[in-house]
Amino acid sequence: MNKNDVDEKFRLWLSTNPHPQFPISILQRCLKITTEPPKGLKANMLRLYTNLPNKEIEGEKMDSQFKPFYKRILFSLCWYHALIIERKRFKTLGWNIIYDFNDSDWDTANNILQIYITQSEEVKLGQTSVMGEQPQVIKQPPWEAIRYLISEVTYGGRVTDEWDRRLLNVYAMEYFNQIVITEEKHRLGNPNSAEYIIPE
């Protein structure tokens, strides 16, 4: 191919991991953009929320009855993602094998939440009393399916170590359940600390 055959407006976007055999001549002639997740849970949470449009945070696509659920679960998902990203900083103390979890995992998990939250079923708590009081009826999403699709398929698809997979599942059990959407000021992390709670 002749140099004159290349259009002046031609641009190439190349995405790559650092590698010692990457051609130096390409590095010298290009603009380099690097993205690194910010350090700390709070910084990771802020980054995720900053990248989300307000209409998505508000659950604009959803029926109004599911919006409060979605907002709380969205916060829980952001926490889950930030937590597993942050564990990479601790090398083998965080994960037995370092995994490349990224924003595409989070996007997929968010799509799963949006789809499955709307499939919530009405569940009766308790039975009709002797006095004729009716049991409380609540909306309950299919938590088992949500947990499986997020921890085993979306994030777990990258995980090869059995202990790391167990850890992902433990986090999923903790952050994707009915208490997250029903308990006021549900605590994330240390149950005795009021520092990390799901806001209203």
Short mmCIF file of all heavy atoms in Angstrom, two decimals, residues 4-47:
data_model
loop_
_atom_site.label_atom_id
_atom_site.label_comp_id
_atom_site.label_asym_id
_atom_site.label_seq_id
_atom_site.Cartn_x
_atom_site.Cartn_y
_atom_site.Cartn_z
N ASN A 4 0.46 7.54 -0.23
CA ASN A 4 -0.46 8.51 -0.85
C ASN A 4 -1.88 7.97 -1.01
O ASN A 4 -2.81 8.73 -1.27
CB ASN A 4 0.09 8.96 -2.21
CG ASN A 4 1.41 9.68 -2.06
OD1 ASN A 4 1.66 10.31 -1.03
ND2 ASN A 4 2.27 9.58 -3.07
N ASP A 5 -2.04 6.65 -0.87
CA ASP A 5 -3.37 6.04 -1.01
C ASP A 5 -4.22 6.21 0.26
O ASP A 5 -5.41 5.94 0.24
CB ASP A 5 -3.24 4.54 -1.32
CG ASP A 5 -2.61 4.30 -2.68
OD1 ASP A 5 -2.64 5.23 -3.51
OD2 ASP A 5 -2.11 3.20 -2.89
N VAL A 6 -3.60 6.63 1.35
CA VAL A 6 -4.33 6.76 2.62
C VAL A 6 -4.97 8.14 2.69
O VAL A 6 -4.31 9.16 2.49
CB VAL A 6 -3.38 6.56 3.82
CG1 VAL A 6 -4.13 6.73 5.13
CG2 VAL A 6 -2.71 5.19 3.75
N ASP A 7 -6.25 8.17 2.96
CA ASP A 7 -6.99 9.43 3.09
C ASP A 7 -6.45 10.22 4.28
O ASP A 7 -6.17 9.66 5.35
CB ASP A 7 -8.48 9.12 3.29
CG ASP A 7 -9.34 10.37 3.18
OD1 ASP A 7 -8.95 11.41 3.72
OD2 ASP A 7 -10.42 10.30 2.56
N GLU A 8 -6.32 11.55 4.11
CA GLU A 8 -5.80 12.40 5.18
C GLU A 8 -6.67 12.39 6.42
O GLU A 8 -6.20 12.60 7.53
CB GLU A 8 -5.69 13.86 4.68
CG GLU A 8 -4.56 14.08 3.73
CD GLU A 8 -4.47 15.54 3.31
OE1 GLU A 8 -5.13 16.38 3.96
OE2 GLU A 8 -3.75 15.82 2.35
N LYS A 9 -7.95 12.14 6.24
CA LYS A 9 -8.89 12.15 7.37
C LYS A 9 -9.01 10.79 8.07
O LYS A 9 -9.76 10.64 9.01
CB LYS A 9 -10.27 12.60 6.90
CG LYS A 9 -10.29 14.03 6.42
CD LYS A 9 -11.67 14.44 6.00
CE LYS A 9 -11.68 15.89 5.52
NZ LYS A 9 -13.00 16.28 5.05
N PHE A 10 -8.27 9.83 7.59
CA PHE A 10 -8.34 8.50 8.20
C PHE A 10 -7.80 8.53 9.62
O PHE A 10 -6.74 9.10 9.90
CB PHE A 10 -7.52 7.49 7.37
CG PHE A 10 -7.43 6.13 8.01
CD1 PHE A 10 -8.50 5.26 7.96
CD2 PHE A 10 -6.28 5.74 8.70
CE1 PHE A 10 -8.42 4.01 8.56
CE2 PHE A 10 -6.19 4.50 9.29
CZ PHE A 10 -7.27 3.64 9.22
N ARG A 11 -8.56 7.94 10.55
CA ARG A 11 -8.14 7.83 11.94
C ARG A 11 -8.39 6.39 12.40
O ARG A 11 -9.36 5.77 12.00
CB ARG A 11 -8.93 8.78 12.85
CG ARG A 11 -8.73 10.25 12.53
CD ARG A 11 -7.32 10.71 12.90
NE ARG A 11 -7.10 12.10 12.62
CZ ARG A 11 -6.61 12.59 11.48
NH1 ARG A 11 -6.29 11.77 10.50
NH2 ARG A 11 -6.43 13.88 11.33
N LEU A 12 -7.52 5.92 13.27
CA LEU A 12 -7.66 4.57 13.81
C LEU A 12 -7.77 4.68 15.32
O LEU A 12 -6.94 5.31 15.97
CB LEU A 12 -6.45 3.72 13.44
CG LEU A 12 -6.37 2.33 14.07
CD1 LEU A 12 -7.49 1.45 13.54
CD2 LEU A 12 -5.02 1.69 13.78
N TRP A 13 -8.82 4.06 15.86
CA TRP A 13 -8.99 4.00 17.32
C TRP A 13 -8.59 2.60 17.74
O TRP A 13 -9.19 1.61 17.31
CB TRP A 13 -10.44 4.29 17.69
CG TRP A 13 -10.71 4.15 19.16
CD1 TRP A 13 -11.10 3.03 19.81
CD2 TRP A 13 -10.57 5.16 20.15
NE1 TRP A 13 -11.22 3.27 21.15
CE2 TRP A 13 -10.90 4.58 21.39
CE3 TRP A 13 -10.20 6.50 20.13
CZ2 TRP A 13 -10.89 5.29 22.58
CZ3 TRP A 13 -10.19 7.20 21.31
CH2 TRP A 13 -10.53 6.60 22.52
N LEU A 14 -7.58 2.50 18.56
CA LEU A 14 -7.06 1.20 18.95
C LEU A 14 -7.13 1.06 20.46
O LEU A 14 -6.69 1.94 21.19
CB LEU A 14 -5.60 1.09 18.48
CG LEU A 14 -4.86 -0.21 18.79
CD1 LEU A 14 -5.50 -1.37 18.05
CD2 LEU A 14 -3.40 -0.07 18.39
N SER A 15 -7.72 -0.02 20.90
CA SER A 15 -7.82 -0.28 22.33
C SER A 15 -6.92 -1.48 22.66
O SER A 15 -7.01 -2.52 22.01
CB SER A 15 -9.27 -0.60 22.69
OG SER A 15 -9.39 -0.91 24.04
N THR A 16 -6.04 -1.31 23.65
CA THR A 16 -5.11 -2.38 23.96
C THR A 16 -4.69 -2.33 25.42
O THR A 16 -4.78 -1.29 26.07
CB THR A 16 -3.85 -2.29 23.07
OG1 THR A 16 -2.95 -3.34 23.42
CG2 THR A 16 -3.14 -0.96 23.23
N ASN A 17 -4.22 -3.44 25.92
CA ASN A 17 -3.59 -3.49 27.23
C ASN A 17 -2.10 -3.20 27.06
O ASN A 17 -1.55 -3.44 25.97
CB ASN A 17 -3.76 -4.88 27.85
CG ASN A 17 -5.16 -5.11 28.36
OD1 ASN A 17 -5.83 -4.18 28.79
ND2 ASN A 17 -5.60 -6.36 28.31
N PRO A 18 -1.43 -2.71 28.09
CA PRO A 18 0.03 -2.50 27.97
C PRO A 18 0.73 -3.82 27.63
O PRO A 18 0.40 -4.87 28.18
CB PRO A 18 0.43 -2.01 29.36
CG PRO A 18 -0.83 -1.52 29.99
CD PRO A 18 -1.94 -2.32 29.39
N HIS A 19 1.68 -3.74 26.72
CA HIS A 19 2.42 -4.95 26.32
C HIS A 19 3.83 -4.55 25.93
O HIS A 19 4.03 -3.56 25.21
CB HIS A 19 1.71 -5.63 25.14
CG HIS A 19 2.21 -7.01 24.90
ND1 HIS A 19 3.34 -7.28 24.16
CD2 HIS A 19 1.75 -8.20 25.35
CE1 HIS A 19 3.55 -8.59 24.14
NE2 HIS A 19 2.60 -9.17 24.85
N PRO A 20 4.85 -5.29 26.35
CA PRO A 20 6.24 -4.90 26.06
C PRO A 20 6.59 -4.94 24.58
O PRO A 20 7.52 -4.26 24.14
CB PRO A 20 7.08 -5.92 26.85
CG PRO A 20 6.16 -7.05 27.18
CD PRO A 20 4.77 -6.48 27.20
N GLN A 21 5.86 -5.69 23.75
CA GLN A 21 6.18 -5.79 22.33
C GLN A 21 5.33 -4.87 21.46
O GLN A 21 5.36 -4.98 20.24
CB GLN A 21 6.03 -7.24 21.87
CG GLN A 21 7.07 -8.15 22.50
CD GLN A 21 6.92 -9.59 22.05
OE1 GLN A 21 5.89 -9.98 21.54
NE2 GLN A 21 7.97 -10.37 22.25
N PHE A 22 4.58 -3.97 22.09
CA PHE A 22 3.77 -3.03 21.31
C PHE A 22 4.71 -2.10 20.53
O PHE A 22 5.67 -1.57 21.10
CB PHE A 22 2.86 -2.21 22.24
CG PHE A 22 1.78 -1.48 21.54
CD1 PHE A 22 0.57 -2.09 21.26
CD2 PHE A 22 1.96 -0.16 21.13
CE1 PHE A 22 -0.44 -1.42 20.60
CE2 PHE A 22 0.97 0.52 20.47
CZ PHE A 22 -0.24 -0.11 20.20
N PRO A 23 4.48 -1.88 19.23
CA PRO A 23 5.41 -1.08 18.41
C PRO A 23 5.57 0.35 18.94
O PRO A 23 4.60 1.08 19.09
CB PRO A 23 4.77 -1.08 17.02
CG PRO A 23 3.81 -2.21 17.03
CD PRO A 23 3.38 -2.41 18.44
N ILE A 24 6.81 0.74 19.19
CA ILE A 24 7.12 2.07 19.71
C ILE A 24 6.72 3.14 18.70
O ILE A 24 6.26 4.23 19.07
CB ILE A 24 8.64 2.18 20.04
CG1 ILE A 24 9.04 1.17 21.09
CG2 ILE A 24 9.00 3.59 20.47
CD1 ILE A 24 8.47 1.40 22.45
N SER A 25 6.89 2.88 17.42
CA SER A 25 6.58 3.89 16.39
C SER A 25 5.11 4.30 16.43
O SER A 25 4.78 5.46 16.23
CB SER A 25 6.94 3.36 15.00
OG SER A 25 6.20 2.17 14.73
N ILE A 26 4.22 3.35 16.73
CA ILE A 26 2.78 3.69 16.84
C ILE A 26 2.56 4.55 18.08
O ILE A 26 1.83 5.54 18.03
CB ILE A 26 1.92 2.41 16.89
CG1 ILE A 26 1.99 1.68 15.55
CG2 ILE A 26 0.46 2.75 17.23
CD1 ILE A 26 1.25 0.38 15.51
N LEU A 27 3.21 4.20 19.18
CA LEU A 27 3.06 4.99 20.41
C LEU A 27 3.54 6.42 20.23
O LEU A 27 2.95 7.36 20.74
CB LEU A 27 3.85 4.33 21.56
CG LEU A 27 3.24 3.09 22.19
CD1 LEU A 27 4.20 2.49 23.20
CD2 LEU A 27 1.92 3.41 22.86
N GLN A 28 4.61 6.60 19.47
CA GLN A 28 5.18 7.93 19.29
C GLN A 28 4.31 8.81 18.39
O GLN A 28 4.33 10.03 18.53
CB GLN A 28 6.59 7.83 18.70
CG GLN A 28 7.59 7.24 19.68
CD GLN A 28 8.93 6.95 19.03
OE1 GLN A 28 9.03 6.79 17.82
NE2 GLN A 28 9.98 6.86 19.86
N ARG A 29 3.54 8.22 17.50
CA ARG A 29 2.78 9.01 16.53
C ARG A 29 1.31 9.15 16.87
O ARG A 29 0.53 9.63 16.07
CB ARG A 29 2.90 8.34 15.15
CG ARG A 29 4.33 8.32 14.66
CD ARG A 29 4.44 7.64 13.34
NE ARG A 29 3.79 8.47 12.33
CZ ARG A 29 3.61 8.09 11.09
NH1 ARG A 29 4.02 6.92 10.70
NH2 ARG A 29 3.02 8.89 10.23
N CYS A 30 0.92 8.77 18.06
CA CYS A 30 -0.52 8.79 18.35
C CYS A 30 -0.82 9.54 19.65
O CYS A 30 0.08 9.82 20.44
CB CYS A 30 -1.07 7.37 18.43
SG CYS A 30 -0.45 6.42 19.82
N LEU A 31 -2.09 9.83 19.84
CA LEU A 31 -2.57 10.35 21.11
C LEU A 31 -2.89 9.16 21.98
O LEU A 31 -3.53 8.21 21.53
CB LEU A 31 -3.84 11.18 20.91
CG LEU A 31 -3.69 12.48 20.13
CD1 LEU A 31 -5.06 13.08 19.87
CD2 LEU A 31 -2.83 13.46 20.91
N LYS A 32 -2.48 9.22 23.24
CA LYS A 32 -2.73 8.09 24.13
C LYS A 32 -3.73 8.51 25.21
O LYS A 32 -3.58 9.56 25.82
CB LYS A 32 -1.42 7.62 24.77
CG LYS A 32 -0.48 6.97 23.77
CD LYS A 32 0.93 6.87 24.27
CE LYS A 32 1.72 8.14 24.17
NZ LYS A 32 1.94 8.69 22.86
N ILE A 33 -4.73 7.69 25.39
CA ILE A 33 -5.74 7.93 26.42
C ILE A 33 -5.77 6.70 27.31
O ILE A 33 -5.91 5.58 26.83
CB ILE A 33 -7.13 8.15 25.79
CG1 ILE A 33 -7.10 9.34 24.84
CG2 ILE A 33 -8.18 8.35 26.87
CD1 ILE A 33 -8.35 9.49 24.00
N THR A 34 -5.63 6.92 28.60
CA THR A 34 -5.71 5.79 29.53
C THR A 34 -6.85 6.02 30.50
O THR A 34 -7.14 7.16 30.87
CB THR A 34 -4.41 5.62 30.34
OG1 THR A 34 -4.19 6.80 31.09
CG2 THR A 34 -3.23 5.34 29.44
N THR A 35 -7.51 4.95 30.85
CA THR A 35 -8.58 5.05 31.84
C THR A 35 -8.28 4.07 32.97
O THR A 35 -8.00 2.90 32.72
CB THR A 35 -9.96 4.72 31.25
OG1 THR A 35 -9.90 3.40 30.68
CG2 THR A 35 -10.35 5.70 30.17
N GLU A 36 -8.30 4.57 34.13
CA GLU A 36 -8.10 3.76 35.33
C GLU A 36 -9.26 4.03 36.27
O GLU A 36 -9.67 5.18 36.44
CB GLU A 36 -6.80 4.15 36.04
CG GLU A 36 -5.53 3.77 35.29
CD GLU A 36 -5.29 2.28 35.27
OE1 GLU A 36 -5.66 1.60 36.25
OE2 GLU A 36 -4.74 1.80 34.28
N PRO A 37 -9.82 2.98 36.89
CA PRO A 37 -10.89 3.25 37.86
C PRO A 37 -10.33 4.05 39.03
O PRO A 37 -9.19 3.84 39.44
CB PRO A 37 -11.34 1.85 38.31
CG PRO A 37 -10.27 0.92 37.88
CD PRO A 37 -9.52 1.57 36.76
N PRO A 38 -11.10 5.00 39.55
CA PRO A 38 -10.61 5.78 40.68
C PRO A 38 -10.42 4.91 41.91
O PRO A 38 -11.01 3.85 42.03
CB PRO A 38 -11.72 6.82 40.90
CG PRO A 38 -12.93 6.24 40.26
CD PRO A 38 -12.46 5.34 39.17
N LYS A 39 -9.60 5.39 42.83
CA LYS A 39 -9.32 4.61 44.04
C LYS A 39 -10.32 4.95 45.13
O LYS A 39 -10.61 6.11 45.39
CB LYS A 39 -7.90 4.90 44.52
CG LYS A 39 -6.86 4.34 43.55
CD LYS A 39 -5.49 4.37 44.16
CE LYS A 39 -4.40 3.80 43.33
NZ LYS A 39 -4.63 3.26 42.07
N GLY A 40 -10.86 3.93 45.75
CA GLY A 40 -11.79 4.11 46.85
C GLY A 40 -13.24 3.85 46.45
O GLY A 40 -13.64 4.07 45.30
N LEU A 41 -14.01 3.33 47.41
CA LEU A 41 -15.42 3.02 47.15
C LEU A 41 -16.21 4.26 46.75
O LEU A 41 -16.98 4.24 45.80
CB LEU A 41 -16.05 2.39 48.39
CG LEU A 41 -15.67 0.95 48.68
CD1 LEU A 41 -16.17 0.54 50.06
CD2 LEU A 41 -16.23 0.03 47.62
N LYS A 42 -16.00 5.35 47.49
CA LYS A 42 -16.75 6.57 47.23
C LYS A 42 -16.46 7.09 45.83
O LYS A 42 -17.37 7.47 45.08
CB LYS A 42 -16.42 7.62 48.28
CG LYS A 42 -17.24 8.88 48.14
CD LYS A 42 -16.93 9.85 49.26
CE LYS A 42 -17.77 11.11 49.13
NZ LYS A 42 -17.49 12.06 50.21
N ALA A 43 -15.19 7.12 45.45
CA ALA A 43 -14.81 7.60 44.12
C ALA A 43 -15.40 6.73 43.02
O ALA A 43 -15.86 7.23 41.99
CB ALA A 43 -13.29 7.66 44.01
N ASN A 44 -15.41 5.42 43.23
CA ASN A 44 -16.00 4.50 42.25
C ASN A 44 -17.50 4.71 42.13
O ASN A 44 -18.06 4.71 41.03
CB ASN A 44 -15.71 3.04 42.62
CG ASN A 44 -14.45 2.53 41.99
OD1 ASN A 44 -14.34 2.48 40.78
ND2 ASN A 44 -13.48 2.19 42.82
N MET A 45 -18.16 4.90 43.27
CA MET A 45 -19.61 5.15 43.26
C MET A 45 -19.93 6.45 42.52
O MET A 45 -20.84 6.51 41.69
CB MET A 45 -20.16 5.22 44.69
CG MET A 45 -20.06 3.95 45.48
SD MET A 45 -21.35 2.79 45.12
CE MET A 45 -22.77 3.56 45.81
N LEU A 46 -19.17 7.50 42.83
CA LEU A 46 -19.39 8.80 42.17
C LEU A 46 -19.17 8.70 40.67
O LEU A 46 -19.92 9.28 39.88
CB LEU A 46 -18.46 9.86 42.77
CG LEU A 46 -18.85 10.38 44.14
CD1 LEU A 46 -17.75 11.27 44.71
CD2 LEU A 46 -20.16 11.14 44.08
N ARG A 47 -18.17 7.95 40.25
CA ARG A 47 -17.90 7.79 38.82
C ARG A 47 -19.07 7.09 38.12
O ARG A 47 -19.52 7.51 37.06
CB ARG A 47 -16.62 6.99 38.60
CG ARG A 47 -16.21 6.86 37.14
CD ARG A 47 -15.00 5.97 37.01
NE ARG A 47 -15.25 4.62 37.46
CZ ARG A 47 -15.88 3.69 36.74
NH1 ARG A 47 -16.32 3.95 35.54
NH2 ARG A 47 -16.05 2.48 37.24
#
